[in-house]
Amino acid sequence: MIELEGFALNTYAYTFSHSAGDCIDAYAGGGARGLEVMMYPGHAWPDDLNAGARRSLKQKSRDAGLPFITLNMPNVDINIAAAAPGMRAYSIEVVSKIIALAGDLEVPGVVIGVGKPNPLLPAPRAELLGHFHRAMDTLIPAARAAGTRLLVENMPFAFLPGAVELMAALDAYTVEDAGVVYDIANAYFHGEDLGEGFQTMAPRLALVHVSDTPANVYLHAPVGEGTVPFAEGAAACEAVGYDGPIMLEIICNDPDTEIPASATALRGLGWG
């Protein structure tokens, strides 16, 4: 049993070593508020989980008292705003399968990104927005039918990296259909003021991701290995009245030790 009292766990650090079921076994009884499961073949992947496996995984979560809070798409391999129509179609298909899995597991949210531009010669913003909105027009009805909703995350490598532009892109959708995840490491790396970011995201804020990063190298490191102003972030989070899970999305070599240590450090900085 790994203690994580008061925080939620993103399983990113375990994608190569554990299945989602293994993570339930490891953290059950340790006070964690729930799991965000990364979608990755061998860890948790829709095509690998038949109806029986889905029922078993849902029951394991219930028996452990460790609910699935969100499923998180594999943002490296897919791109709903890609230039190639085939890649956009494939990406939407993958996210649609994740949405269906969320429905079967009774997971309330699916984390997605808006899509990635070419870093050297990005397509015009209007073109990328069009791709994103057309994808949402397919994914939102699928999420409604599955009994879940989309949670769009700020990502520094996406074509809408900042809170203001991300929120503007969601104006056409209801909060019930499209919430947001505010990742403070992503925001800090992008150069965003965390107080302003939380205020901007507050009307749709459904989940907060926490990890550390320097300002010059993009990481999701254990607390203390970067320069994220955690106390400032905690105060900003509290100021907008957020009382949902604080999701530790920490990628490290020894997650059994480093993630609980990060939780302890965060408590001393006003989190949890």
Side-chain angles (χ1 to χ4, degrees):
M1 179 188 71
I2 301 172
E3 293 188 5
L4 206 65
E5 186 67 41
F7 291 92
L9 172 75
N10 171 290
T11 65
Y12 216 140
Y14 293 98
T15 51
F16 297 150
S17 60
H18 293 63
S19 69
D22 292 336
C23 290
I24 293 173
D25 291 336
Y27 282 86
R33 292 186 64 175
L35 299 180
E36 176 173 279
V37 180
M38 296 302 297
M39 296 289 97
Y40 198 89
H43 178 70
W45 192 244
D47 289 345
D48 297 340
L49 295 168
N50 61 23
R54 295 178 186 208
R55 287 193 297 270
S56 295
L57 190 58
K58 180 170 67 173
Q59 191 62 50
K60 178 186 277 284
S61 168
R62 286 178 173 174
D63 291 345
L66 196 60
F68 295 122
I69 296 171
T70 35
L71 304 183
N72 197 324
M73 74 174 207
N75 55 55
V76 173
D77 292 338
I78 65 175
N79 186 0
I80 62 175
M87 176 52 75
R88 295 197 302 273
Y90 169 72
S91 300
I92 291 169
E93 178 186 0
V94 170
V95 178
S96 295
K97 289 180 178 180
I98 294 168
I99 288 169
L101 177 61
D104 289 340
L105 297 179
E106 298 181 5
V107 183
V110 174
V111 180
I112 67 168
V114 299
K116 302 178 286 290
N118 184 316
L120 297 177
L121 186 64
R125 174 68 61 85
E127 180 179 328
L128 295 169
L129 273 173
H131 294 329
F132 170 64
H133 287 146
R134 282 186 289 274
M136 292 290 278
D137 290 344
T138 297
L139 297 173
I140 283 176
R144 286 177 187 160
T148 188
R149 71 165 171 160
L150 303 180
L151 303 179
V152 187
E153 183 177 349
N154 62 310
M155 298 176 179
F157 50 81
F159 78 90
L160 299 173
V164 172
E165 52 198 341
L166 176 57
M167 288 290 283
L170 298 176
D171 277 347
Y173 311 109
T174 67
V175 173
E176 291 75 21
D177 284 333
V180 293
V181 178
Y182 195 47
D183 186 304
I184 67 168
N186 288 351
Y188 174 72
F189 184 78
H190 177 58
E192 188 164 271
D193 178 88
L194 296 184
E196 294 176 1
F198 270 107
Q199 288 290 337
T200 300
M201 294 285 230
R204 293 182 183 268
L205 187 59
L207 188 62
V208 175
H209 279 184
V210 176
S211 63
D212 210 348
T213 188
N216 61 337
V217 179
Y218 181 51
L219 299 174
H220 272 35
V223 174
E225 294 188 10
T227 51
V228 171
F230 288 107
E232 174 188 323
C237 185
E238 183 178 0
V240 299
Y242 177 76
D243 62 357
I246 303 299
M247 184 68 66
L248 302 185
E249 190 183 30
I250 293 170
I251 303 169
C252 53
N253 293 324
D254 183 13
D256 289 1
T257 300
E258 292 175 285
I259 292 177
S262 291
T264 299
L266 287 168
R267 288 188 197 99
L269 294 166
W271 293 90

